[in-house]
Amino acid sequence: MNAGVFTSVRRRTAAAAPAELDPLLLWPAIGLLMFGLVMVYSASIATAEGSKFTAYQPTYFLVRHAVFLAIGVVVGVVAFQIPLRFWQQFAPWLFVAAVALLVVVLIPHVGRAVNGAQRWLPLGPINLQPSELMKLFAAIYAADYTTRKLADMDSFRRGFLPMAAVIISVGFLLLREPDFGAFVVVAAIAFGILFLGGINARIFALLAVVAVIGFVLLIWLSPYRRERILGFMDPWQDAFGKGYQLSHALIAFGRGEWFGVGLGASVEKLFYLPEAHTDFLLAVIAEELGLVGVVVVVGLFALLVQRAFAIGRQALKLERVYAGLVAQGIGIWIGVQSFINMGVNMGLLPTKGLTLPLMSFGGSGIVANCLALAVLLRVDWENRQLMRGVSV
C-alpha cells in the first residue's frame, strides 16, 4: 500500500516537473550544446592531430570543449538558484567588474595576444575572454538602467545620453583589443533594450543614423577592416589573400549540397578553412550535413530567440519590467551574434571574429552562454510561479 502511494506521488511529481520550465527553450538549448560538441570534435580533429601545440592528440579540442561545457552547466545550475532581484541589485557592480577586466586585458604582459588581438587573460590552464562576460553583464545592466529610467525615456539628456556614454566607453576598450564584433553585439544589446524599454522613437532613429555613420567610419579608417570589406564583396578576386576564409567557407557550403558529404567527411576542415571549429563551424556543418543540417541549426536558434522574447513579454505582462528586459536582452544577444556568424559563413556579411553561440569552441563563450541561459530559465520559472500565485 505504501509502495503504491509512493509510486503515485513520484509519477505526479515527474509529470509536473516539465511544467516548471519551458521545454521549447530548454530542449533547443540542450540540442545546440550537444550538437556543438559533436561538430567541434568533427571540425577540430585534423587540426588537433597535426599540431605540436596540442601534442598531436586528436581529442584535444573535444576534451577541452567538454570540460568547459561541464563547467558551464554547473555555473548555470548555480545561477538558476539566484532570484532576479539579486541580479538587479548587483547589476551595476557586475558591469563595473566587466569593464575592469576589459581594462586589465589591455595591460602589456598581462593580457594574452593571439593573431594580433589582445583579448584573453591567462589564468593557468585556461584563458578568460572578458568580452564574453561583458555581453551578459551589458544585458543585465542595460535592463536595470532602463527600469530605473522609465520615466526619462523621452529625454535625450537623462534617458539616452548616460547609456550612450557608457557604451561608447566600453566600445573604446573593445576596439583597443581589437574586437569590433563584440562591440557590435554589446551595442545592439544595450540599445535594443533601451528601444524595448520605450525610448523616444525620434531619439532611437537618430541613434540608428549615428551608429551607421560611426560603423562606416570605423571600417573606412581602419585598413584591415577596409580590406575585409573589399574581400567580402568579391572573395574570388583574391582567393588566396583577403578572400581566403570566405572563399573556402563558400566551397564548403557548395560541397554540402542538400544532405552533405557525411559526418566527419569534410575536406575543408583539413587545413583549408581557418578557424573551422570556432568562427566557421557552420561551414563545416554545411559541408558534412548539407542544407538540411544548416536549416536545423537556424531553426533551433530561431526557436530559442522566439522563446526568449516570449518569456520577456510574459514577464512584462506580470509587471516584472526588469526580468522582461533581461530576457529580451539575452534574446537580442543570441539572435544578433548567431545572425552575424551565420551571415559571415554564408558570405552575406564581412568576416568578423564572432563565434556561433552555444556551439563553437571557446571556454569563456560557452560558460557565458550557459550562464545567460540559466538567467533566462530563471525568468521563465519565476513567471510560472507568479502565475500560480506563489511568491518568488
Side-chain angles (χ1 to χ4, degrees), residues 101-178:
L101 289 174
L102 290 179
V103 173
V104 171
V105 80
L106 293 173
I107 298 175
H109 309 297
V110 175
R112 182 188 176 198
V114 178
N115 296 328
Q118 192 164 323
R119 303 176 185 174
W120 296 268
L121 286 172
L123 302 175
I126 64 174
N127 294 307
L128 173 66
Q129 190 171 356
S131 60
E132 293 295 335
L133 293 177
M134 173 54 75
K135 295 169 188 174
L136 174 60
F137 294 157
I140 290 172
Y141 174 72
D144 173 58
Y145 174 88
T146 304
T147 303
R148 289 186 283 107
K149 296 279 188 175
L150 283 177
D152 297 320
M153 283 293 102
D154 284 332
S155 171
F156 178 81
R157 183 176 61 86
R158 296 189 303 274
F160 170 74
L161 200 57
M163 177 57 74
V166 168
I167 297 304
I168 289 173
S169 301
V170 171
F172 172 78
L173 295 173
L174 289 172
L175 292 175
R176 291 284 296 171
E177 295 185 2

Side-chain angles (χ1 to χ4, degrees), residues 237-307:
Q237 186 178 17
D238 188 10
F240 294 99
K242 295 178 294 186
Y244 183 81
Q245 284 180 305
L246 180 53
S247 62
H248 280 280
L250 294 176
I251 290 171
F253 271 86
R255 291 192 75 246
E257 297 185 349
W258 288 98
F259 300 102
V261 297
L263 183 63
S266 167
V267 171
E268 286 301 316
K269 70 184 182 184
L270 303 178
F271 304 102
Y272 292 104
L273 181 62
E275 311 298 338
H277 58 300
T278 55
D279 298 357
F280 285 91
L281 186 66
L282 188 69
V284 177
I285 293 173
E287 186 179 4
E288 296 190 346
L289 303 178
L291 178 63
V292 173
V294 173
V295 169
V296 168
V297 172
V298 172
L300 289 174
F301 273 109
L303 181 57
L304 199 64
V305 173
Q306 187 274 331
R307 295 313 304 159

Side-chain angles (χ1 to χ4, degrees), residues 337-370:
Q337 183 165 333
S338 59
F339 175 80
I340 293 175
N341 178 274
M342 293 175 186
V344 167
N345 276 254
M346 296 178 190
L348 302 176
L349 295 172
T351 304
K352 284 284 162 286
L354 282 175
T355 57
L356 190 60
L358 304 173
M359 297 189 71
S360 292
F361 177 81
S364 300
I366 286 294
V367 173
N369 293 159
C370 290

Side-chain angles (χ1 to χ4, degrees), residues 317-328:
K317 289 179 182 178
L318 295 170
E319 299 183 352
R320 304 177 65 230
V321 177
Y322 175 74
L325 292 177
V326 165
Q328 293 179 342

Side-chain angles (χ1 to χ4, degrees), residues 193-229:
I193 289 176
L194 281 180
F195 175 76
L196 294 170
I199 194 171
N200 184 283
R202 287 175 296 180
I203 295 176
F204 191 80
L206 176 63
L207 163 67
V209 173
V210 171
V212 170
I213 294 173
F215 286 134
V216 169
L217 289 175
L218 284 171
I219 292 169
W220 188 255
L221 296 176
S222 173
Y224 87 93
R225 291 194 190 104
R226 192 165 63 245
E227 288 179 4
R228 280 188 172 185
I229 290 292

